[in-house]
Amino acid sequence: MRSVISLWLLVVFPQLAWSQQLTLPLVRDSLRFAVIGDTGTGTTSQYQVGKTLIEYRSKFPYEFVLMLGDNLYGNEDAKDFEKKFERPYRPLLDAGIKFYAALGNHDDPNQRFYKLFNMSGERYYSFRPKAGVRFFALDSNYMDKKQLEWLDKELSGSVSDWKICFFHHPLYSSGEKHGPAVELRKILEPVLLKHNVSVVFAGHEHFYERLKPQKGIYHFTQGGSAKLREGNLAKTDLTDKGFDQDNSFTLVEIAGDQLYFQTISRSGKTVDSGVIRRTNGKPDSTNQ
Amino acid sequence: MKTKAGVSGLILFLIFTPVVLGAFQQDDKRTNPDALILKEFNDRVTQYVELHKRAEKDVPKLKRTDDPAQINAREEALASAIRQARSQARAGDVFFPEARELFLRIIRGESKGTDGARVRAAIKEGNPRSEGSPVRLGTNAVYPDGAPLSLVPPALLLKLPQLPKELDYRFVGRHLILRDAKANIIVDYILDAVPAT
């Protein structure tokens, strides 16, 4: 019996140790954040992803979390905010971690007035957590002229090296359920290209996908932080790395011209990691 | 002599300017018959927004809060005040017949043919009918909390008349609705705005 247990320990523990490993470099004074999407279910899987996300903070002290929309599915009463947002992430909220939300198609735009989503009362907004990095949260459900003009103005006025956009609908996707938001891409992509946006985070598809750079922009889809569409990731030439077998979240670290990323499953297993390097103002990546 | 010529010039200017401007306006109407319809539509939108703003004065000011109950209570109070203020509202008040025809022309123009297939597909994204969420169409009807909001294809949005921030266009199935974005109610709607195929 003892020999069986020893064998189990030998086989399982090294795997656990490996799977919980942090690949991010923890560079001094770097900017660290987490990315979650399509979270607001209030289901066990949301709580389990939340638990792993919280555990990882002890290894990787991130400062804030990006939410990629569908922050609350279904009703949006006070008890829903409690069940589908506040409770699963309570330790993070208590530790003062800020959540910056984008609106998904399941979100009442009045969520912008909910303080804990840090949307400044706007459907779209930008913030600069650190010199050299600016984020632009967009409302991809309703890309009207006013929003496009705002984005164009904000991007052209930004001197940040890293311009990162996040919104709900992915411009590129290998998802069988939704696929890419082609109509949105026709209008939005030229603005992103014009102003050297480096990275885009989107949700909507309930899995993780890192796409091959599209016209020099790195697109991540992280819509699997509570819901999961298992096996929905079609095999396409677009995908650099995909994961549709479990829920996940992504950790990001920006240090100078390098953006490191690590995507972790609900159980704590690393499913993707790598680094995007900016050279001559353009990003270039190495994946692990 | 100079003064006399100046006065004559001024008289001629005063006589002919209205004629010339009138001709231009006539010309504008002839070349762009939609201009009057658009103006009327914008006037009706402005009237609605004025009513919305008056209703807002009767409810607590919406501030950023960490209490979602306050946001919901305010949304409901505003919806209630607006419903009361336009209790006589009927479908077609904002989308009056000529405006309806204009909107149908724009939407159908964008959503027909091969290119239009993508637009029609985009309209189905997050559309409550695609996701099985019931939304009752009616003037002043509440847009339900649990129902998703459709994506409005940006190219189409750029062709439709721009709306003030109080309002947005959305699709429920193939129907276009004009939604009060703060009160979360349906202001008006056009049935079957998007062609089936």
Side-chain angles (χ1 to χ4, degrees), chain B residues 1 9 29 34 37 43 45 55 106 117 132 136 150 154-155 163 165-166 175 177 180 183 189:
Chain B
M1 186 65 186
K29 277 179 214 167
D34 295 339
I37 300 170
D43 287 348
V45 164
I106 296 170
R136 188 180 71 80
S150 73
L163 293 172
K165 64 176 191 274
E166 287 82 2
H175 316 306
I177 65 164
D180 187 312
Y189 55 92

Side-chain angles (χ1 to χ4, degrees), chain B residues 79-91:
Chain B
S80 172
I82 290 172
R83 265 198 299 270
Q84 210 170 350
R86 63 189 302 260
S87 57
Q88 304 302 313
R90 294 285 174 268

Side-chain angles (χ1 to χ4, degrees), chain B residues 65-127:
Chain B
T65 171
D66 52 12
D67 179 9
Q70 277 186 34
I71 301 170
N72 290 335
R74 205 269 183 180
E75 187 177 299
E76 282 162 22
L78 180 61
S80 172
I82 290 172
R83 265 198 299 270
Q84 210 170 350
R86 63 189 302 260
S87 57
Q88 304 302 313
R90 294 285 174 268
D93 279 358
V94 184
F95 291 128
F96 57 99
E98 293 82 357
R100 180 181 172 279
E101 288 308 312
L102 177 62
F103 273 76
L104 287 178
R105 215 179 332 129
I106 296 170
I107 295 168
R108 287 173 183 182
E110 276 294 297
S111 55
K112 72 179 179 196
T114 318
D115 286 349
R118 280 211 301 265
V119 173
R120 291 198 302 276
I123 288 169
K124 285 182 184 163
E125 276 298 309
N127 193 308

Side-chain angles (χ1 to χ4, degrees), chain A residues 49 99 117 137 229 270:
Chain A
V49 172
F99 286 73
F117 284 168
R229 219 166 265 133
T270 297

Side-chain angles (χ1 to χ4, degrees), chain A residues 16 52 66-67 104 107 136-137 159 165 176 179 185 191 196 202 205 223 225 227 246 254 270 278:
Chain A
L16 278 178
T52 312
L66 302 184
M67 296 176 78
D107 298 317
F136 303 84
V159 291
C165 289
E176 283 180 343
R185 186 166 81 205
V191 183
N196 287 322
E205 298 278 17
S225 304
K227 285 207 168 191
D246 198 358
I254 298 178
T270 297
R278 287 181 73 261

Side-chain angles (χ1 to χ4, degrees), chain A residues 73-78 80-82 86 104-121 123 139-146 148-149 169 177-179 181-187 204, chain B residues 62-69 71-72 75-76 110 115 118-119 122 125-127 130-131 133 144-158 162-165 167-170 179 181-184:
Chain A
Y73 288 97
N75 290 342
E76 300 196 7
D77 293 336
D80 296 298
F81 278 80
E82 163 74 21
E86 293 169 10
N105 55 295
H106 284 272
D107 298 317
D108 181 343
N110 281 343
Q111 280 180 17
R112 66 191 186 274
F113 297 108
Y114 178 55
K115 231 182 219 174
L116 302 184
F117 284 168
N118 290 291
M119 299 174 74
S120 314
R123 291 193 295 118
D139 178 1
S140 59
N141 299 284
Y142 204 76
M143 191 57 64
D144 57 0
K145 195 175 172 212
K146 219 166 146 189
L148 277 170
E149 284 172 354
H169 297 86
K177 165 82 176 169
H178 296 295
V182 180
E183 289 300 303
L184 179 67
R185 186 166 81 205
K186 281 200 283 192
I187 299 287
H204 200 44
Chain B
L62 186 52
K63 289 180 191 154
R64 289 177 63 223
T65 171
D66 52 12
D67 179 9
I71 301 170
N72 290 335
E75 187 177 299
E76 282 162 22
E110 276 294 297
D115 286 349
R118 280 211 301 265
V119 173
E125 276 298 309
N127 193 308
S130 312
E131 306 218 359
S133 299
D145 234 8
L149 288 162
S150 73
L151 186 143
V152 184
L156 174 61
L157 207 45
L158 296 177
Q162 268 200 78
L163 293 172
K165 64 176 191 274
L167 294 165
D168 59 27
Y169 301 111
R170 299 287 178 172
R179 194 183 71 105
K182 284 186 179 172
N184 206 19

